[in-house]
């Protein structure tokens, strides 16, 4: 079993510190929104849906702090500030913005309707746990839907970490792999290391190992050669934000993998909850890509692997254009060969909207 990722009790949030995995189980203690934002920024916790869930609890911690400190004035301003602190932590994964804004709107409405801070806290706690439950349920549905695309005994490549360590549930792409293995649809998994943070090497292999799924770790630059020499049936990845036309932001290296998969006629699947669609963004170029410190490239933990003065470029995500994606798998169904028209029609139907 993967340890609990986030454990909340009034005024405290214990966050499984993924920086030490798989070697040490450590928890980072957050007592307010600021600590939670620090944990997100510094990669204590990562993975789009889990970032969203953690931030939701971080928003709740902000309210706990108001109560514990006995603050009686400027509540609205404090809540707004907490929202900003949380949303400033990382820019690309849209769940972070959606979960915190959902709670903030609710809190402000309650405040304006005259609710006292304890009543607001109670309602926000309920809503935060609803968000987490929605995440858990959607991972189960994504897995159920994704498995339908796989043929018996498939060998698949996956990228980054999209499992229990990236969600509150079983995961998105990795959830499909887990479920696929149970149903005889997956025979072998090739997780890519995922430089520079090595989410694939450290986290995905650990999850596969714990679930007793046969796997072989590969370096990111091995994927093309593997596709040429071994029968790979699919590439399955997750997503941090999807534009209305299907262009998908995911961990840096996803784009390269998609191009190589296309060259070898291998289906390239993106698995993500509906929440990952950003309806305000029409194309990938408009998605904000986080740029992280070059130190994360030239050092592994405390060891330099290049000269300390080395100049390095570190975008944390890239955009895979929709025409390289064979299907987007969501909890509400699959969008094959996604494009703007198909996505709009799908979302209109699912969300019961007249216009998007
Ligand atoms: O920088 P990270 O580790 O937060 O990036 C995570 C990814 O890119 C995942 O593939 C994505 O969030 C999907 S997780 C279900």
């Amino acid at each position: 079993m993967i340890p609990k990722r986030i454990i909340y009790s009034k005024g405290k949030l214990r966050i499984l510190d993924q920086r030490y995995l798989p070697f040490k189980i450590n928890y980072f203690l957050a007592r307010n929104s600021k600590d939670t934002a620090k944990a997100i920024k510094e990669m204590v916790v990562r993975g789009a849906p889990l970032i969203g869930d953690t931030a939701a609890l971080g928003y709740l911690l902000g309210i706990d702090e108001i109560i514990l400190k006995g603050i009686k004035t400027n509540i609205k301003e404090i809540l707004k500030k907490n929202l900003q602190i949380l949303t400033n932590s990382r820019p690309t994964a849209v769940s972070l913005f959606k979960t915190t804004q959902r709670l903030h709107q609710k809190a402000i409405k309650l405040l304006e309707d005259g609710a006292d801070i304890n009543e607001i806290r109670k309602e926000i706690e309920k809503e935060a746990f609803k968000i987490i439950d929605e995440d858990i349920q959607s991972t189960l549905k994504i897995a159920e839907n994704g498995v339908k695309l796989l043929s018996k005994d498939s060998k698949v490549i996956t990228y980054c970490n999209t499992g229990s360590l990236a969600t509150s549930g079983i995961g998105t792409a990795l959830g499909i792999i887990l479920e696929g293995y149970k149903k005889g649809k997956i025979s072998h998994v090739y997780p890519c290391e995922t430089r520079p943070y090595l989410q694939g090497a450290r986290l995905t292999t650990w999850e596969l190992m714990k679930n007793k799924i046969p796997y072989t770790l590969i370096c990111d630059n091995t994927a093309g050669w593997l596709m040429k020499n071994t029968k790979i049936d699919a590439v399955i990845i997750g997503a941090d934000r999807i534009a209305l036309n299907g262009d998908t932001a995911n961990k840096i290296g996803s784009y390269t993998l998609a191009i190589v998969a296309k060259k070898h006629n291998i289906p390239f699947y993106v698995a993500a909850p509906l929440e990952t669609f950003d309806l305000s963004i029409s194309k990938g170029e408009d998605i904000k890509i986080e740029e992280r410190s070059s130190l994360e490239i030239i050092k592994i933990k405390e060891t330099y692997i290049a000269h300390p003065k080395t100049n390095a470029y570190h975008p944390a995500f890239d955009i895979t254009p929709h025409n390289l994606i064979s299907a987007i798998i969501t909890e509400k169904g699959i969008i094959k060969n996604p494009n703007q028209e198909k996505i709009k029609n799908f979302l209109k139907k699912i969300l019961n909207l007249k216009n998007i």
Side-chain angles (χ1 to χ4, degrees):
M1 273 276 281
I2 299 297
K4 277 197 165 36
R5 280 75 79 198
I6 36 179
I7 307 167
Y8 171 82
S9 59
K10 205 169 179 180
K12 280 188 201 158
L13 178 63
R14 292 171 68 221
I15 307 171
L16 177 64
D17 196 332
Q18 300 198 19
R19 296 171 302 181
Y20 298 106
L21 294 177
F23 307 108
K24 232 164 84 186
I25 308 296
N26 242 34
Y27 281 86
F28 175 100
L29 179 64
R31 291 186 183 275
N32 50 37
S33 305
K34 203 168 155 200
D35 296 345
T36 312
K38 181 174 155 70
I40 295 171
K41 200 183 188 86
E42 296 183 1
M43 307 282 284
V44 169
V45 59
R46 28 72 47 206
L50 190 58
I51 290 174
D53 297 344
T54 307
L57 293 176
Y59 187 84
L60 176 60
L61 282 182
I63 300 179
D64 288 343
E65 195 182 34
I66 294 174
I67 296 171
L68 290 168
K69 287 188 172 167
I71 298 171
K72 300 273 181 259
T73 54
N74 295 332
I75 305 289
K76 198 169 175 178
E77 289 70 21
I78 296 172
L79 292 177
K80 192 167 171 212
K81 184 88 193 124
N82 287 343
L83 174 73
Q84 272 164 0
I85 290 171
L86 287 162
T87 53
N88 280 341
S89 58
R90 291 189 78 188
T92 306
V94 74
S95 323
L96 165 69
F97 298 85
K98 289 202 179 168
T99 62
T100 48
Q101 262 149 16
R102 175 167 153 187
L103 295 187
H104 185 63
Q105 272 162 17
K106 194 170 180 91
I108 296 300
K109 166 101 183 42
L110 287 161
L111 191 67
E112 286 172 353
D113 287 350
D116 77 18
I117 193 73
N118 289 299
E119 286 162 349
I120 296 173
R121 191 205 159 272
K122 211 167 137 202
E123 289 306 309
I124 294 304
E125 182 178 30
K126 244 197 262 163
E127 194 71 10
F129 281 96
K130 192 164 166 227
I131 286 171
I132 293 170
D133 192 53
E134 284 167 12
D135 175 21
I136 297 172
Q137 298 312 322
S138 68
T139 62
L140 296 172
K141 283 279 170 208
I142 290 170
E144 198 182 306
N145 290 337
V147 162
K148 293 180 196 149
L149 292 172
L150 299 173
S151 42
K152 195 172 170 286
D153 286 335
S154 292
K155 291 183 176 141
V156 300
I157 292 179
T158 190
Y159 204 65
C160 197
N161 172 269
T162 60
S164 289
L165 292 167
T167 65
S168 290
I170 60 166
T172 55
L174 205 60
I176 296 174
I177 291 171
L178 257 54
E179 189 58 20
Y181 182 68
K182 280 191 206 149
K183 297 218 155 92
K185 295 276 192 103
I186 296 275
S187 64
H188 206 89
V189 186
Y190 294 93
C192 298
E193 277 184 311
T194 321
R195 274 274 294 150
Y197 247 88
L198 304 173
Q199 291 94 330
R202 295 187 301 109
L203 310 176
T204 302
T205 56
W206 195 52
E207 290 203 39
L208 289 167
M209 208 184 288
K210 284 197 172 277
N211 285 286
K212 299 191 169 48
I213 299 177
Y215 72 89
T216 307
L217 176 66
I218 57 168
C219 293
D220 302 338
N221 47 12
T222 302
W225 191 238
L226 184 74
M227 288 181 198
K228 180 156 172 56
N229 295 304
T230 306
K231 194 181 168 301
I232 296 295
D233 300 283
V235 176
I236 319 177
I237 66 158
D240 284 78
R241 194 182 293 231
I242 305 176
L244 205 46
N245 69 350
D247 293 352
T248 294
N250 194 54
K251 182 51 56 194
I252 187 76
S254 302
Y255 172 50
T256 316
L257 206 50
I259 294 172
V260 183
K262 183 87 164 178
K263 164 83 184 158
H264 293 89
N265 286 319
I266 295 170
F268 187 89
Y269 299 132
V270 170
L274 281 182
E275 183 188 67
T276 318
F277 284 93
D278 186 342
L279 306 188
S280 72
I281 286 186
S282 60
K283 54 184 188 321
E285 290 93 313
D286 300 332
I287 298 176
K288 183 155 192 235
I289 299 292
E290 175 183 16
E291 203 169 315
R292 296 186 63 91
S293 161
S294 61
L295 278 179
E296 292 175 355
I297 303 256
I298 64 172
K299 272 172 99 177
I300 294 187
K301 299 270 173 211
E302 293 315 308
T303 310
Y304 279 98
I305 55 162
H307 190 284
K309 287 196 173 148
T310 304
N311 193 19
Y313 169 49
H314 185 193
F317 301 93
D318 59 23
I319 309 284
T320 301
H322 63 273
N323 58 9
L324 294 179
I325 298 171
S326 315
I328 299 177
I329 303 157
T330 77
E331 70 275 33
K332 295 286 185 192
I334 298 169
I335 312 163
K336 289 192 177 157
N337 303 313
N339 59 31
Q340 183 164 51
E341 198 193 336
K342 284 192 193 174
I343 291 173
K344 271 190 173 176
N345 288 338
F346 176 84
L347 293 177
K348 267 191 216 160
K349 204 165 129 199
I350 297 299
L351 305 174
N352 225 341
L353 296 173
K354 280 211 172 66
N355 255 319
I356 293 182

